Amino acid sequence: MATIHVDGQRYEVNGAHNLLQACLSLGLDIPYFCWHPAMGSVGACRQCAVRQYKDEDDDRGMLVMSCMTPAADGTRIDIEDEEAKAFRASVVEWLMINHPHDCPVCEEGGHCHLQDMTVMTGHDRRRYRFRKRTRRNQYLGPFIAHEMNRCITCYRCVRFYNDYARGTDLGAFGSKDNLYFGRYEEGTLESRFAGNLTEVCPTGVFTDQSHSDHYTRKWDLQFAPSICHQCAMGCNVSPGERYGDIRRIENRYHGDVNGYFLCDLGRFGYGYVNRSDRPRVPEYKASDDESPRELGVDDALARIRQALDGANRVIGIGSPRASLESNHQLRELVGLENFSTGIEAGEQACLSRMDELNRNCGLPIPTLREVEDHDAVLVLGEDPMESAARLGLAIRQAIIAPPADQAAKLGIPAWNAEALKTLAQDHRQPLFIAYPAATELDGIARPRLSLAPDDIARLGFAVAHEIDPAAPAVPELSPELREQARDIARTLKAADRPLVVSGGALASTAIIDAAGNIARALARRASRGGLVLVRREVNSTGLSLMGGQTLDWAMDELAERQADAVVILENDLYQRLPAERVDTALQQTEVRVVLDHQRTRTLNHATLALPAASFAEGDGTVVSLEGRAQRFFQVFEPGYLRPETRIHESWRWLHALSARGQPAGAGDIVLDEVTRACAEACPALAGIVDAAPDAHYRIEGLRLAREPHRYSGRTAMRANQSVSEPRAPQDPDTAFTFSMEGYSGYQEPRQQVPFAWAPGWNSPQAWNKFTDEVGGHLRGGDPGVRLLWPQPGSYRYADPIPADANAESGCRAVMLPRLFGGEETAARAEPIRQRMARPVLHMAMADATHLGAELGGLVTVSGDNGCVTLPAQPDADWPEGLVGIPACAAPGAITRVPVTLTAGPGSTPEGARKS
């Protein structure tokens, strides 16, 4: 700690910070542009000037840039010095010489850091009267809009894109005052994190293109704290709604998880909420051939109750994309013995193994913030940039981090970004990747080990044995793999904080066991390492902790007519199992009740369908891959602006159905009740009641506001339907109100913040007002509660070890995760659809040559579970006897079983075959 004096007041601050960060952490306001809490200082904008004095006797001082001055003990500065204030005002004025001053039409209006800083400095008159420089804007893809005329050359965009996210297709062109920030030619920005430019840029140069299509000012959006539903990372988001549609998603700061940044899937994958073809009212049809007929709520519930009462046995199929509360209510409806998780057997086996390892391997699951501090990383059988992109970004930060000991020796503080960049230009922490396909992290890793799944597992077991000889040895391991295992083991043992990353991407429990053995071996050495196991969907971890039968079991029960009714919860079964198997099971079932918020292929087979709420229209709890239970909250009431809709949370529908046969009816239910019931029924989920404050939480006697205090137009929203304004929706489930009349300040610490706003801070930089220190944690505590922790005890190694893959005959297929298009719901969002790559079949060059498809001809992959035909993409380092199918091409089809490859049209006439 250090003692500094600001404007005559004495403060205790973190001496490792610069003066700007220290003052902002104290709640003092200093304007700035180029500095960012996650990227440090470069002193490019000169906006944060303050007067610094040598000592208490110095009455003259000098102007310094607070972002480039350490908060050393005894430092004395004046923020309110008149010369410093005049200098800051002049800086804003010259930065805006070529700015168009187009706030009324700029999409950052009311959300703009430049506006905030202009007001803060007192600059309110434009003296420049000459012709302004103008630029030609670029098309940057479906996510980002470009308006270069608004640029103030703060360099934040390229610092984030190039230095932090390591993108290569955005740059600064020109020199002096003639700079252009864009691509060398028009085209889609390639980085998976390009959307963060909309928040990193302090002006309106980079804006949200998906928001532009139905633009609304920030102060006219209604928000709620939510959790991204597009993968298992559990990133915190703030969705904004207007007129019953989600208009944009912003990052919601979480000190342990996503910090200031989201991946593009989480930011732009919300379009499925707004689809016009969504089910909005209950539907009924007697057969698949007829069109669905709309029903009223009472009629629909009565028909379903009658149908379920008349059934001999009802199977319930849950979903890892539905909340814990909804899955619990389904389990209560059908009974524990009749409940299926809705997860395919192979994936569920991987999930169970991962839960066991997270408890028993001896190493904790690091938060994303902690991942960035690890000094050696081994990735086994995963591509984090595709399956959990925000994790991939954290791994990237860990690898490119400058050597802390050398920086300390040279006296370079952690905030001096440019000096650290120079120091780290030739430095890389060790990163090892064992995965069959090329990954985006390959450029900063040791040469990738392109191996088949069983060989990846054998490598992992060998690494564990090299770390701890008590771990089982791997027989008949090739000399090359053995030497690589020794190299990896030496590096992990030498590291202070090694990290092992694995997961279920290749559907191999052997790979997961191998990762667990490495973690156990490191734990026995008293290592401060960590183990991250990647799951696929937002609630995969929570549902595996809840337990239940596999989806395969449910399909067999239905196909064999062991049950004559099924209730399917927010799950498209065709995304998980072959179509023929699902068709057979559903055709044998007389009563098919489906609850979903999308018109899926499964819902089209429903005899009775109920419209479920999406994450934006309902409340619930999910558990991330870190084991963190987090609550998402309803952003808007769908029936307020569309009175004809009958959309409700699935747990509310299922509660109503569970009362069938009870004369008193179901009665009302609130979120807190069903959450407590779920926690009591599932001991592993007991902690979820503490994931967020309950509905009785108040600040100064007030509920929490979903709307900014300048929210306008509520009276006119329904004027086309009725001139009288109905009462605002009431929310008995949470502490939030569908109104601006509630608490929206930052003075009182709180976890659940729907939107970031403070007086004078309208941009995303307002999050600095809610944290204990800039870049730290929320003052009310970071949201969520951890459910998975290592348990004390002995760590037993897994055995047996899979056989050598080269010794096996035949060809195998693996499903490769895809960030854009690999997730069921986001693939329905139009911007994501535009970013989906053409699906291709990855295969070894030798296999493609054998088939005559070395030039990209069509190849058909056939197995017991179906077939798929795709253009071949031969890879020089792809393992022979293995084919990779992108997740968006053939979901739930033909992995883990022997397959046959057949040349299709466009290949050589021989039609060669490999089986």
Side-chain angles (χ1 to χ4, degrees):
M1 299 297 290
T3 300
I4 65 172
H5 300 264
V6 183
D7 293 327
Q9 300 295 317
R10 184 175 182 271
Y11 298 99
E12 295 290 325
V13 299
N14 188 337
H17 291 170
N18 57 46
L19 285 175
L20 175 60
Q21 187 171 0
C23 290
L24 291 174
S25 296
L26 292 170
L28 306 174
D29 289 345
I30 299 178
Y32 62 89
F33 285 123
C34 65
W35 178 80
H36 189 279
M39 296 184 289
S41 306
V42 292
C45 70
R46 325 306 290 170
Q47 181 62 77
C48 62
V50 297
R51 182 173 291 279
Q52 182 181 15
Y53 302 94
K54 294 179 181 178
D55 52 43
E56 56 186 330
D57 298 324
D58 182 7
D59 60 357
R60 297 187 62 180
M62 62 179 180
L63 293 183
V64 299
M65 301 306 117
S66 58
C67 75
M68 297 299 292
T69 306
D73 193 46
T75 300
R76 294 175 179 272
I77 62 171
D78 276 355
I79 299 174
E80 298 301 321
D81 175 77
E82 290 302 320
E83 186 180 357
K85 291 167 65 176
F87 181 85
R88 295 195 295 261
S90 68
V91 169
V92 167
E93 188 173 23
W94 83 57
L95 288 176
M96 296 184 68
I97 279 180
N98 288 295
H99 191 282
H101 292 77
D102 58 344
C103 298
V105 297
C106 177
E107 293 175 346
E108 284 295 288
H111 191 226
C112 177
H113 186 63
L114 176 60
Q115 285 181 330
D116 292 346
M117 298 301 97
T118 304
V119 172
M120 190 178 294
T121 57
H123 172 61
D124 59 0
R125 292 292 182 274
R126 180 174 54 181
R127 295 187 293 170
Y128 186 75
R129 291 293 180 266
F130 306 98
R131 180 184 293 275
K132 296 202 172 196
R133 180 186 61 219
T134 57
R135 301 289 196 185
R136 179 182 180 276
N137 302 318
Q138 291 182 323
Y139 170 77
L140 298 178
F143 295 160
I144 305 295
H146 190 225
E147 177 52 76
M148 247 318 282
N149 294 322
R150 299 171 183 150
C151 182
I152 59 170
T153 62
C154 71
Y155 286 89
R156 268 203 205 172
C157 57
V158 291
R159 289 179 58 216
F160 167 76
Y161 199 90
N162 299 337
D163 299 342
Y164 194 92
R166 292 288 162 163
T168 58
D169 60 323
L170 181 77
F173 303 91
S175 63
K176 299 181 181 178
D177 63 344
N178 185 23
L179 284 168
Y180 188 92
F181 295 89
R183 299 183 89 245
Y184 66 97
E185 64 179 6
E186 276 194 343
T188 300
L189 288 172
E190 296 170 1
S191 172
R192 291 164 168 78
F193 308 97
N196 292 292
L197 293 174
T198 64
E199 294 185 17
V200 166
C201 176
T203 73
V205 176
F206 300 99
T207 55
D208 185 335
Q209 182 66 54
S210 68
H211 185 206
S212 303
D213 296 338
H214 40 222
Y215 182 73
T216 302
R217 295 289 187 193
K218 177 181 179 177
W219 62 70
D220 282 333
L221 290 172
Q222 181 170 250
F223 298 91
S226 193
I227 306 300
C228 177
H229 274 50
Q230 268 51 79
C231 79
M233 281 311 310
C235 294
N236 286 213
V237 295
S238 289
E241 171 267 347
R242 184 75 169 181
Y243 289 107
D245 288 335
I246 295 296
R247 297 299 175 93
R248 73 182 301 173
I249 283 183
E250 299 176 7
N251 181 72
R252 180 163 64 100
Y253 185 84
H254 192 295
D256 273 338
V257 185
N258 46 291
Y260 292 95
F261 305 124
L262 296 173
C263 76
D264 287 353
L265 179 66
R267 188 180 294 274
F268 301 109
Y270 62 85
Y272 63 92
V273 177
N274 302 335
R275 288 181 66 97
S276 60
D277 62 349
R278 284 185 56 186
R280 299 186 185 274
V281 296
E283 296 175 351
Y284 166 77
K285 60 180 181 179
S287 67
D288 288 346
D289 298 331
E290 66 179 45
S291 299
R293 179 161 56 91
E294 294 183 358
L295 298 175
V297 170
D298 292 336
D299 189 12
L301 291 176
R303 284 175 179 267
I304 296 174
R305 288 170 184 157
Q306 182 179 9
L308 296 183
D309 284 340
N312 295 321
R313 185 185 177 203
V314 182
I315 295 290
I317 299 177
S319 171
R321 65 173 167 91
S323 68
L324 290 175
E325 289 83 356
S326 295
N327 280 286
H328 167 72
Q329 286 298 110
L330 176 59
R331 194 172 78 161
E332 290 296 296
L333 174 67
V334 301
L336 177 60
E337 67 281 0
N338 296 319
F339 175 71
S340 163
T341 61
I343 301 173
E344 180 267 333
E347 183 180 354
Q348 185 154 320
C350 289
L351 290 171
S352 299
R353 202 72 58 92
M354 288 189 268
D355 292 342
E356 179 185 350
L357 284 175
N358 285 142
R359 292 193 186 98
N360 301 324
C361 77
L363 291 186
I365 312 170
T367 65
L368 278 185
R369 189 189 191 101
E370 292 167 342
V371 166
E372 297 182 1
D373 294 330
H374 286 270
D375 54 356
V377 181
L378 169 63
V379 180
L380 278 182
E382 273 291 338
D383 183 355
M385 282 296 188
E386 298 288 357
S387 56
R390 192 58 186 80
L391 172 63
L393 184 62
I395 292 174
R396 190 190 294 281
Q397 302 316 304
I399 301 308
I400 66 176
D405 53 347
Q406 191 175 349
K409 190 180 300 183
L410 295 174
I412 302 175
W415 46 262
N416 195 332
E418 201 62 27
L420 290 176
K421 179 182 174 182
T422 302
L423 182 65
Q425 59 186 355
D426 297 319
H427 177 269
R428 292 286 183 274
Q429 306 283 22
L431 169 62
F432 301 93
I433 301 175
Y435 192 70
T439 79
E440 195 176 295
L441 293 174
D442 289 354
I444 58 172
R446 306 282 176 87
R448 177 175 49 86
L449 305 176
S450 182
L451 303 171
D454 284 349
D455 283 335
I456 295 174
R458 288 165 60 78
L459 172 70
F461 283 117
V463 170
H465 178 70
E466 294 292 339
I467 295 173
D468 181 6
V474 181
E476 301 177 1
L477 191 66
S478 69
E480 296 81 8
L481 273 185
R482 192 171 300 280
E483 185 55 40
Q484 288 164 339
R486 287 172 180 160
D487 182 33
I488 295 171
R490 280 193 299 267
T491 303
L492 295 181
K493 287 193 291 184
D496 184 48
R497 299 193 66 187
L499 175 67
V500 181
V501 178
S502 188
L506 300 180
S508 170
T509 55
I511 292 177
I512 297 170
D513 284 338
N517 275 17
I518 298 172
R520 291 182 176 108
L522 291 171
R524 289 191 173 188
R525 295 176 55 86
S527 169
R528 294 197 301 153
L531 173 67
V532 175
L533 297 171
V534 179
R535 282 79 162 177
R536 188 159 71 98
E537 294 175 84
V538 60
N539 210 11
S540 293
T541 308
L543 201 53
S544 64
L545 292 174
M546 177 180 286
Q549 301 288 345
T550 67
L551 178 59
D552 303 69
W553 168 87
M555 293 294 95
D556 291 341
E557 293 291 294
L558 295 174
E560 296 169 5
R561 301 190 67 84
Q562 299 298 312
D564 50 358
V566 62
V567 180
I568 303 171
L569 169 66
E570 299 180 37
N571 200 336
D572 186 2
L573 309 185
Y574 292 91
Q575 295 286 323
R576 302 181 186 277
L577 289 175
E580 295 80 3
R581 188 174 183 188
V582 177
D583 285 339
T584 300
L586 295 182
Q587 288 167 4
Q588 296 296 323
T589 309
E590 297 177 7
V591 179
R592 301 182 292 274
V593 180
V594 179
L595 300 88
D596 210 332
H597 49 76
Q598 298 300 306
R599 195 167 294 282
T600 66
R601 189 172 173 183
T602 300
L603 185 135
N604 291 335
H605 286 286
T607 55
L608 289 152
L610 296 175
S614 68
F615 77 95
E617 300 149 334
D619 311 293
T621 308
V622 293
V623 183
S624 70
L625 62 83
E626 179 196 351
R628 185 186 297 267
Q630 299 184 98
R631 189 97 9 99
F632 61 92
F633 294 95
Q634 186 177 18
V635 183
F636 65 99
E637 171 55 55
Y640 182 71
L641 290 169
R642 297 187 177 100
E644 73 280 3
T645 65
R646 296 294 182 266
I647 295 173
H648 300 289
E649 296 99 332
S650 293
W651 52 262
R652 207 178 294 276
W653 283 117
L654 292 166
H655 171 73
L657 290 175
S658 67
R660 69 184 193 277
Q662 299 179 15
D668 198 9
I669 190 172
V670 294
L671 177 67
D672 289 340
E673 291 179 14
V674 69
T675 301
R676 281 195 299 269
C678 179
E680 292 169 2
C682 309
L685 301 174
I688 66 173
V689 293
D690 300 319
D694 63 20
H696 302 291
Y697 180 77
R698 300 290 185 275
I699 293 180
E700 299 178 353
L702 298 173
R703 284 178 171 265
L704 307 181
R706 281 183 169 93
E707 300 168 359
H709 71 284
R710 291 181 293 175
Y711 190 89
S712 63
R714 187 176 69 191
T715 304
M717 280 183 178
R718 289 169 46 100
N720 63 319
Q721 301 174 31
S722 173
V723 295
S724 61
E725 180 188 2
R727 184 188 186 192
Q730 303 302 295
D731 187 358
D733 295 309
T734 75
F736 295 93
T737 176
F738 292 102
S739 170
M740 69 186 83
E741 292 84 18
Y743 185 81
S744 60
Y746 67 92
Q747 295 86 354
E748 296 296 327
R750 54 183 172 134
Q751 282 188 343
Q752 304 296 340
V753 185
F755 55 90
W757 176 87
W761 296 85
N762 297 280
S763 77
Q765 298 298 299
W767 283 112
N768 296 338
K769 293 290 186 180
F770 293 85
T771 53
D772 53 6
E773 63 178 24
V774 174
H777 301 271
L778 294 180
R779 286 189 287 119
D782 291 322
V785 59
R786 294 285 290 270
L787 303 181
L788 286 174
W789 295 98
Q791 304 295 322
S794 59
Y795 314 132
R796 294 188 300 173
Y797 288 111
D799 207 7
I801 295 169
D804 183 0
N806 293 326
E808 296 183 9
S809 61
C811 187
R812 300 248 167 190
V814 293
M815 200 71 67
L816 301 178
R818 284 291 174 265
L819 186 68
F820 299 129
E823 195 277 327
E824 177 185 344
T825 53
R828 296 169 174 265
E830 187 54 36
I832 298 298
R833 294 176 67 85
Q834 293 181 43
R835 282 299 312 272
M836 291 168 59
R838 184 188 70 155
V840 294
L841 191 70
H842 295 267
M843 58 194 313
M845 180 62 75
D847 291 340
T849 302
H850 185 69
L851 289 165
E854 63 271 23
L855 299 180
L858 295 177
V859 173
T860 298
V861 184
S862 306
D864 294 340
N865 295 332
C867 69
V868 61
T869 300
L870 292 172
Q873 178 173 304
D875 296 325
D877 62 349
W878 184 271
E880 290 189 35
L882 186 73
V883 291
I885 306 171
C888 56
I894 50 179
T895 59
R896 290 184 299 277
V897 295
V899 296
T900 298
L901 306 184
T902 307
S907 302
T908 56
E910 289 78 12
R913 181 183 301 261
K914 181 183 175 74
S915 61

